[in-house]
Amino acid sequence: SYRWIVGMLLYLATNTRTDIAFAVSQVCRFSSTPKRSHATAVKSIVRYLRGTRNKGTIIRPQGQLNLDLFVDADFAGLYRAEPDHSPNAARSR
């Protein structure tokens, strides 16, 4: 059904395929009363995914996972309150 397919696409959009997030959010808006045009849009997204199988976010475990985090916020006015060398401190651009 339409909701089932859109749910699977939403899972992909939030976890591994962020490139389809906007298109999936648009078809999700009409999951209660989908029309033929919405089903056509879902088919287009699925065709795109089929053609780009080798794309997406793939993380393979290799011991320790190190992530660099960059945020666009003022930290509620507490910017630079934590030491830069702390592993839990977020870095600003």
Side-chain angles (χ1 to χ4, degrees):
S1 77
Y2 183 84
R3 287 184 184 183
W4 184 73
I5 293 172
V6 168
M8 289 189 335
L9 290 174
L10 190 59
Y11 175 81
L12 287 174
T14 56
N15 292 305
T16 60
R17 295 299 302 259
T18 55
D19 53 334
I20 63 168
F22 179 76
V24 172
S25 69
Q26 294 301 308
V27 295
C28 284
R29 292 175 54 201
F30 302 98
S31 61
S32 61
T33 55
K35 295 189 166 81
R36 187 177 303 261
S37 61
H38 304 122
T40 303
V42 168
K43 286 180 186 178
S44 297
I45 296 169
V46 172
R47 287 183 189 130
Y48 171 78
L49 289 172
R50 188 175 185 188
T52 58
R53 289 181 186 163
N54 60 340
K55 307 291 183 203
T57 305
I58 300 170
I59 299 176
R60 291 187 175 87
Q62 298 178 2
Q64 185 177 357
L65 178 64
N66 295 320
L67 297 175
D68 287 329
L69 173 68
F70 295 92
V71 296
D72 189 14
D74 71 347
F75 303 100
L78 298 174
Y79 180 66
R80 296 274 186 208
E82 297 175 330
D84 289 335
H85 55 81
S86 171
N88 298 324
R91 299 180 194 161
S92 180
R93 292 183 206 160

